Amino acid sequence: FRAPSLAEVSYNSGPTQFGTTEGVVLGEELSRGFDVGAELLLAEGALLHMSYFDQRVDDEIFYEFDLVSFEDGYRQESGASRSKGVELGADIPLTEALGFDASYTYNDTKDSTDQQRVRRPTHLANLGVSFSLMDSRLRLLTNLRYSADTRDVSAPLEDYALLDLSANYELNSQVQLFGRIENLADKEYLEIIGFNTPGRSAYLGARFSF
């Protein structure tokens, strides 16, 4: 059971920048679901896992921006939405310094009109390779993210793949330095029509333990 939040209710209670959803009364959202999974730990240290999930949401609350009428606000679907699918994953140490991990999710979604739910990719995948140096004090990681078969309210979205790099260096027992570059290839992609996504982004930082 989820009641509409104060932010959702107040957003709909007055005019917005693009239009208004004043008068749209939001009710409660109900959901139920389950997932079941299994893990297999191999003698070499590799871990394989698999799970199945199934969720039903009745009267789902969602945000919508209409590119035709230029109205935005929180609305409520009339009926039931479903998401079901499988998740597969593997974490495999190739050597003491080199590791490999991968995951894949297949998500079959339907809204109350039997159409694919918006902004829910059917296929999601991650592929990572890690490498440790200097007695594991320095750890390098490259990760490839893939998303496919997604639609927004008004149109389907293009599939995309993003490459990320990161590094962690343990200076001593109390200080750790880290850095990462997201979207290394500066790929243009969309997750929501009408909203930009970050290009190549770099981050540096430090962690202190006391």
Side-chain angles (χ1 to χ4, degrees), residues 87-165:
E87 294 180 344
L88 306 173
D91 189 352
I92 303 173
L94 301 177
T95 67
E96 290 187 0
L98 184 64
F100 166 85
D101 65 88
S103 64
Y104 168 74
T105 300
Y106 171 76
N107 191 12
D108 179 22
T109 64
K110 299 292 182 183
D111 62 18
S112 59
T113 63
D114 206 34
Q115 299 296 313
Q116 181 184 2
R117 296 176 69 185
V118 298
R119 307 180 191 118
R120 266 72 171 187
T122 301
H123 307 280
L124 274 177
N126 285 276
L127 179 64
V129 178
S130 61
F131 190 65
S132 298
L133 298 168
M134 304 172 62
D135 296 327
S136 298
R137 292 174 59 191
L138 175 62
R139 186 169 184 267
L140 307 176
L141 175 66
T142 178
N143 187 67
L144 182 66
R145 297 179 282 151
Y146 176 71
S147 175
D149 192 14
T150 311
R151 78 173 185 93
D152 207 338
V153 176
S154 57
L157 300 176
E158 290 187 4
D159 304 344
Y160 64 85
L162 304 177
L163 181 64
D164 304 327
L165 299 177

Side-chain angles (χ1 to χ4, degrees), residues 51-99:
S51 63
Y52 173 83
F53 60 89
D54 193 318
Q55 182 191 47
R56 170 181 169 136
V57 181
D58 291 287
D59 304 323
E60 179 183 15
I61 299 170
F62 63 96
Y63 172 82
E64 183 177 66
F65 175 67
D66 193 325
L67 292 173
V68 178
S69 65
F70 290 96
E71 291 185 351
D72 68 331
Y74 290 92
R75 292 171 172 79
Q76 191 156 25
E77 192 167 3
S78 177
S81 302
R82 297 199 66 175
S83 295
K84 60 180 179 178
V86 294
E87 294 180 344
L88 306 173
D91 189 352
I92 303 173
L94 301 177
T95 67
E96 290 187 0
L98 184 64

Side-chain angles (χ1 to χ4, degrees), residues 41-46:
L41 180 61
L42 303 178
E44 297 80 7

Side-chain angles (χ1 to χ4, degrees), residues 141-196:
L141 175 66
T142 178
N143 187 67
L144 182 66
R145 297 179 282 151
Y146 176 71
S147 175
D149 192 14
T150 311
R151 78 173 185 93
D152 207 338
V153 176
S154 57
L157 300 176
E158 290 187 4
D159 304 344
Y160 64 85
L162 304 177
L163 181 64
D164 304 327
L165 299 177
S166 65
N168 287 270
Y169 177 66
E170 187 177 330
L171 190 63
N172 53 48
S173 60
Q174 293 181 311
V175 181
Q176 185 182 80
L177 307 177
F178 66 87
R180 70 180 186 274
I181 301 176
E182 297 180 353
N183 192 6
L184 180 66
D186 202 21
K187 174 79 172 180
E188 292 187 5
Y189 67 102
L190 285 180
E191 295 178 327
I192 302 174
I193 291 178
F195 290 82
N196 289 330

Side-chain angles (χ1 to χ4, degrees), residues 12-24:
N12 280 11
S13 64
T16 67
Q17 180 179 356
F18 303 104
T20 180
T21 49
E22 190 172 0
V24 177

